[in-house]
Amino acid sequence: MRALGGSLTAAEAEGDERTIEAALRPRTLEEVVGQVRVRDQLGLVLEAARQRGRAPDHVLLSGPPGLGKTTLAMIIAAEMTAPLRLTSGPAITHAGDLAAILSGLNQDDVLFIDEIHRMSRPAEEMLYLAMEDFRVDVIIGKGPGATAIPLEIPPFTLVGATTRAGLLPGPLRDRFGFTGHLEFYDPAELDLIIHRSADLLGVRLTDEGAAEIALRSRGTPRIANRLLRRVRDYAQVRADGVVTLAVAHATLDLYEVDRLGLDRLDRAVIDVLCRRFGGGPVGVSTLAVAVGEERETVEEVAEPFLVRLGFLARTPRGRIATPAAWEHLGLTAPKLPDSDPPLFSS
């Protein structure tokens, strides 16, 4: 399976990229570009908590990867001048793992759990009690002789991040005092983010160059910053060091990221769907085999963006290409017989 972070347009970050991202993150809510509604609501929650001298309510942040959930968790800790403890759902495989983390918390600490929907069920059940009563029950022994020892923990703020809020159990969602859903960014917001990152990285760029990168960034700051670094490299090696419109064009064409942000895999999916399967419907497993990728890669990397662009639609019979996809490829969509049911309906 292709590593999700291996593509320029993958929204996940891996390895050294996380270190680079850390240097570009905004440090305060005032520095955050976009997400105005979530930013204002969260600012109100934090200011009220400061005035009361108490830890803020637990916060759940949901939305696609790369939009700033981790950044907001760090800002919450910074705004409350509290230490931040970071972990992830997949790392908490047993209730004992969570008990060890919670028992190490101090008063008003901020605990950030990324991918919280991937925690084990026993850990989730322990978290219910910790969030509500600031207590965990540690089980000593097994079977009929097992004893539950209550362990008090100081008040803390849990910040959970998830890309799939629907997978969270209702009892867990209900224990968050504030829930914020992050939306994709528009090109104007990404343009501001690119200019800010360029200043931090010491990159010289024109307004036209920044705007071109923003257009191809799929509404995601992480992708915008990644593309900026690749365009910077091209400008340094093959130009005069300035990111202009021509340099941005040349770089992104070299890396096969088109004007809409589609990469090689995205184009391969709609190309195969239209040219080889007549626009569908086709099962996602068949599509994956046809483009030489794993099913999970097509389903998690390419499909969400193609659906959002309106190039791909999911139907009970499989995936189908929309007229916009045919037009993007310069092809004419086949006409359906009058007797065929509509592919799209409300």
Side-chain angles (χ1 to χ4, degrees), residues 226-246:
R226 188 184 296 146
L227 295 182
L228 173 63
R229 296 197 301 274
R230 297 293 72 79
V231 175
R232 172 199 60 184
D233 295 344
Y234 187 101
Q236 176 184 330
V237 174
R238 298 189 181 180
D240 60 0
V242 179
V243 174
T244 62
L245 177 61

Side-chain angles (χ1 to χ4, degrees), residues 138-185:
V138 180
I139 307 299
I140 305 297
K142 295 182 179 180
T147 303
I149 300 177
L151 175 65
E152 299 294 328
I153 56 178
F156 69 99
T157 297
L158 172 66
V159 180
T162 178
T163 56
R164 306 181 71 179
L167 295 183
L168 284 178
L172 181 56
R173 284 198 307 270
D174 293 343
R175 283 170 169 78
F176 286 97
F178 171 76
T179 300
H181 181 76
L182 276 62
E183 305 285 350
F184 286 101
Y185 291 66

Side-chain angles (χ1 to χ4, degrees), residues 2-12 215-218 223 226-227 252-271 291 293 297-298 300-306 309 311 328-329:
R2 183 178 75 164
L4 298 187
S7 165
L8 274 183
T9 54
E12 300 286 353
L215 282 174
R216 305 196 193 197
S217 297
R218 302 166 80 119
I223 295 174
R226 188 184 296 146
L227 295 182
L252 299 175
D253 289 347
L254 175 66
Y255 284 104
E256 300 182 281
V257 180
D258 71 15
R259 291 297 305 274
L260 294 179
L262 275 69
D263 65 7
R264 180 202 62 81
L265 176 60
D266 302 319
R267 287 191 300 275
V269 168
I270 60 173
D271 189 81
V291 299
E293 293 284 356
T297 305
V298 172
E300 297 175 17
V301 178
E303 188 176 85
F305 184 59
L306 292 174
L309 276 184
F311 283 4
H328 187 72
L329 295 175

Side-chain angles (χ1 to χ4, degrees), residues 57-98:
D57 287 343
H58 303 301
V59 174
L60 178 65
L61 301 171
S62 65
L67 300 187
K69 295 185 293 295
T70 302
T71 296
L72 284 178
M74 293 179 173
I75 288 174
I76 289 171
E79 295 274 354
M80 300 305 298
T81 62
L84 177 68
R85 309 291 183 92
L86 295 96
T87 187
S88 66
I92 304 174
T93 57
H94 305 286
D97 299 331
L98 181 62

